[in-house]
Protein backbone atom coordinates (compact mmCIF):
# COMPACT_ATOMS: atom_id res chain seq x y z
CA UNK A 1 0.00 0.00 0.00
CA UNK A 2 1.29 3.45 -0.90
CA UNK A 3 1.67 6.23 1.69
CA UNK A 4 -0.80 9.09 1.31
CA UNK A 5 0.35 11.66 -1.23
CA UNK A 6 -0.12 14.51 1.21
CA UNK A 7 2.40 13.08 3.69
CA UNK A 8 4.76 11.29 1.28
CA UNK A 9 5.86 14.23 -0.84
CA UNK A 10 7.79 17.20 0.44
CA UNK A 11 8.96 20.36 -1.26
CA UNK A 12 10.30 23.80 -0.39
CA UNK A 13 7.99 26.79 -0.13
CA UNK A 14 9.52 30.16 0.68
CA UNK A 15 12.72 28.28 1.54
CA UNK A 16 11.02 26.06 4.15
CA UNK A 17 10.35 22.33 3.87
CA UNK A 18 6.62 21.62 3.51
CA UNK A 19 4.38 18.61 3.01
CA UNK A 20 0.98 18.87 1.34
CA UNK A 21 -0.79 18.13 4.62
CA UNK A 22 0.97 21.12 6.23
CA UNK A 23 -0.05 23.34 3.33
CA UNK A 24 -3.68 22.20 3.63
CA UNK A 25 -3.74 22.89 7.37
CA UNK A 26 -2.10 26.29 6.86
CA UNK A 27 -4.68 27.25 4.22
CA UNK A 28 -7.51 26.17 6.50
CA UNK A 29 -6.09 28.24 9.35
CA UNK A 30 -5.40 31.31 7.19
CA UNK A 31 -8.89 31.17 5.71
CA UNK A 32 -10.27 31.57 9.23
CA UNK A 33 -11.94 28.19 9.08
CA UNK A 34 -13.51 28.48 5.63
CA UNK A 35 -13.76 24.74 4.96
CA UNK A 36 -14.51 25.38 1.29
CA UNK A 37 -10.74 25.69 0.78
CA UNK A 38 -10.59 21.90 1.21
CA UNK A 39 -12.70 21.60 -1.95
CA UNK A 40 -10.30 23.96 -3.76
CA UNK A 41 -7.35 21.62 -3.25
CA UNK A 42 -6.80 18.73 -5.64
CA UNK A 43 -4.89 15.61 -4.71
CA UNK A 44 -4.70 14.43 -8.36
CA UNK A 45 -6.84 11.40 -7.54
CA UNK A 46 -10.44 10.67 -8.42
CA UNK A 47 -11.22 10.58 -4.71
CA UNK A 48 -10.25 14.25 -4.30
CA UNK A 49 -11.69 17.44 -5.79
CA UNK A 50 -10.75 18.27 -9.36
CA UNK A 51 -8.24 21.00 -10.05
CA UNK A 52 -10.15 24.21 -10.70
CA UNK A 53 -10.14 25.30 -14.34
CA UNK A 54 -9.10 28.90 -13.58
CA UNK A 55 -6.75 30.52 -11.05
CA UNK A 56 -8.27 31.62 -7.77
CA UNK A 57 -8.46 35.40 -7.61
CA UNK A 58 -9.19 37.62 -4.59
CA UNK A 59 -11.99 39.49 -6.35
CA UNK A 60 -13.71 36.23 -7.36
CA UNK A 61 -12.77 34.10 -4.37
CA UNK A 62 -16.21 33.89 -2.71
CA UNK A 63 -17.84 32.72 -5.94
CA UNK A 64 -14.95 30.40 -6.77
CA UNK A 65 -15.00 28.72 -3.35
CA UNK A 66 -18.78 28.33 -3.50
CA UNK A 67 -18.41 26.74 -6.95
CA UNK A 68 -15.52 24.50 -5.85
CA UNK A 69 -17.64 23.13 -2.98
CA UNK A 70 -20.68 22.59 -5.21
CA UNK A 71 -18.58 20.90 -7.93
CA UNK A 72 -16.89 18.63 -5.40
CA UNK A 73 -20.19 17.58 -3.87
CA UNK A 74 -21.49 16.79 -7.37
CA UNK A 75 -18.56 14.40 -7.83
CA UNK A 76 -19.71 10.77 -7.27
CA UNK A 77 -16.23 9.91 -5.96
CA UNK A 78 -16.76 12.43 -3.12
CA UNK A 79 -20.47 12.07 -2.34
CA UNK A 80 -22.93 9.26 -3.00
CA UNK A 81 -26.42 8.64 -1.69
CA UNK A 82 -27.26 4.98 -1.13
CA UNK A 83 -31.00 4.72 -0.61
CA UNK A 84 -30.89 0.93 -0.13
CA UNK A 85 -28.51 1.28 2.83
CA UNK A 86 -30.09 4.57 3.92
CA UNK A 87 -26.71 6.26 4.03
CA UNK A 88 -24.82 9.14 2.49
CA UNK A 89 -21.22 8.33 1.64
CA UNK A 90 -19.01 11.39 1.78
CA UNK A 91 -15.36 12.28 1.21
CA UNK A 92 -13.27 11.31 4.23
CA UNK A 93 -11.82 14.82 4.43
CA UNK A 94 -15.30 16.15 5.28
CA UNK A 95 -15.67 13.62 8.07
CA UNK A 96 -12.19 14.26 9.48
CA UNK A 97 -13.01 17.99 9.60
CA UNK A 98 -16.61 17.57 10.78
CA UNK A 99 -16.16 20.04 13.66
CA UNK A 100 -14.71 22.67 11.32
CA UNK A 101 -17.62 22.21 8.89
CA UNK A 102 -20.11 22.67 11.72
CA UNK A 103 -18.27 25.76 12.99
CA UNK A 104 -18.10 27.23 9.48
CA UNK A 105 -21.88 26.86 9.09
CA UNK A 106 -22.49 28.27 12.55
CA UNK A 107 -20.36 31.35 11.85
CA UNK A 108 -21.98 31.96 8.44
CA UNK A 109 -25.56 31.43 9.62
CA UNK A 110 -25.12 32.81 13.14
CA UNK A 111 -26.92 29.79 14.52
CA UNK A 112 -25.92 26.29 15.49
CA UNK A 113 -25.81 23.72 12.68
CA UNK A 114 -28.30 20.97 13.43
CA UNK A 115 -26.26 18.36 11.52
CA UNK A 116 -23.48 17.78 9.02
CA UNK A 117 -26.22 17.15 6.46
CA UNK A 118 -27.38 20.76 6.93
CA UNK A 119 -23.89 21.96 6.07
CA UNK A 120 -23.71 19.72 3.00
CA UNK A 121 -27.12 20.95 1.86
CA UNK A 122 -25.90 24.53 2.15
CA UNK A 123 -22.71 23.85 0.15
CA UNK A 124 -24.28 21.65 -2.54
CA UNK A 125 -25.45 22.60 -6.01
CA UNK A 126 -29.23 22.91 -6.47
CA UNK A 127 -29.38 19.48 -8.14
CA UNK A 128 -27.38 17.78 -5.37
CA UNK A 129 -29.40 19.67 -2.74
CA UNK A 130 -32.59 18.08 -4.10
CA UNK A 131 -30.98 14.65 -3.95
CA UNK A 132 -29.73 15.24 -0.39
CA UNK A 133 -33.18 16.40 0.69
CA UNK A 134 -34.36 12.90 -0.25
CA UNK A 135 -31.79 11.44 2.16
CA UNK A 136 -32.73 13.29 5.35
CA UNK A 137 -32.31 10.96 8.30
CA UNK A 138 -29.69 8.82 6.55
CA UNK A 139 -26.45 7.96 8.32
CA UNK A 140 -23.34 9.72 6.99
CA UNK A 141 -20.44 7.33 6.35
CA UNK A 142 -17.04 7.64 4.66
CA UNK A 143 -16.80 6.93 0.96
CA UNK A 144 -14.07 4.56 -0.22
CA UNK A 145 -11.08 6.55 -1.45
CA UNK A 146 -10.33 6.14 -5.16
CA UNK A 147 -6.60 6.70 -5.59
CA UNK A 148 -6.63 6.39 -9.39
CA UNK A 149 -5.45 9.50 -11.19
CA UNK A 150 -8.30 11.76 -12.13
CA UNK A 151 -9.01 12.45 -15.77
CA UNK A 152 -10.88 15.70 -15.75
CA UNK A 153 -11.92 17.55 -18.92
CA UNK A 154 -9.64 20.23 -20.26
CA UNK A 155 -10.57 23.84 -19.38
CA UNK A 156 -12.18 24.30 -22.79
CA UNK A 157 -14.42 21.28 -22.10
CA UNK A 158 -15.25 22.34 -18.53
CA UNK A 159 -18.93 23.09 -18.02
CA UNK A 160 -19.90 26.74 -17.98
CA UNK A 161 -21.80 26.89 -14.70
CA UNK A 162 -23.00 30.07 -13.12
CA UNK A 163 -23.64 30.42 -9.39
Amino acid sequence: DQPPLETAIGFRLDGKPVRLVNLKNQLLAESEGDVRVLFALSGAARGTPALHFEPYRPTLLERQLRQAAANALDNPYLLQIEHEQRCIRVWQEVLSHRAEFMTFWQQRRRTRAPSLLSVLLDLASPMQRRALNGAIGYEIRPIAFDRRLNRWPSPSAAPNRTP
Side-chain angles (χ1 to χ4, degrees):
D1 198 27
Q2 299 174 357
L5 177 67
E6 57 186 19
T7 57
I9 298 190
F11 55 94
R12 289 191 138 345
L13 182 64
D14 293 334
K16 299 175 190 165
V18 164
R19 298 212 179 277
L20 291 177
V21 69
N22 304 113
L23 185 60
K24 177 183 68 178
N25 292 335
Q26 182 181 352
L27 284 171
L28 194 54
E30 289 184 15
S31 72
E32 298 177 355
D34 190 337
V35 292
R36 298 173 303 173
V37 300
L38 296 172
F39 297 118
L41 302 173
S42 178
R46 287 187 181 177
T48 64
L51 188 62
H52 199 57
F53 60 90
E54 67 181 355
Y56 288 95
R57 294 190 166 89
T59 58
L60 304 173
L61 194 56
E62 179 62 30
R63 179 188 60 79
Q64 289 176 316
L65 289 176
R66 185 173 57 247
Q67 192 65 54
N71 288 346
L73 294 175
D74 280 344
N75 179 343
Y77 293 104
L78 300 181
L79 189 142
Q80 292 177 2
I81 300 169
E82 296 178 355
H83 293 290
E84 311 79 44
Q85 282 79 34
R86 295 188 49 80
C87 76
I88 300 167
R89 300 237 179 234
V90 70
W91 184 34
Q92 296 167 4
E93 201 68 34
V94 171
L95 296 178
S96 67
H97 290 280
R98 180 186 295 255
E100 290 93 335
F101 274 84
M102 302 293 281
T103 300
F104 170 75
W105 197 89
Q106 184 173 337
Q107 290 172 345
R108 303 279 278 195
R109 299 287 181 198
R110 300 195 197 297
T111 186
R112 202 164 158 228
S115 67
L116 182 58
L117 179 57
S118 298
V119 180
L120 296 175
L121 281 163
D122 196 48
L123 295 173
S125 68
M127 183 179 71
Q128 190 68 289
R129 195 174 299 129
R130 283 190 292 279
L132 286 167
N133 272 320
I136 290 176
Y138 287 13
E139 182 180 354
I140 296 180
R141 298 180 188 160
I143 197 166
F145 179 68
D146 190 335
R147 188 184 289 263
R148 293 178 293 172
L149 288 179
N150 59 26
R151 300 215 188 284
W152 301 104
S154 66
S156 60
N160 186 9
R161 293 173 61 172
T162 57

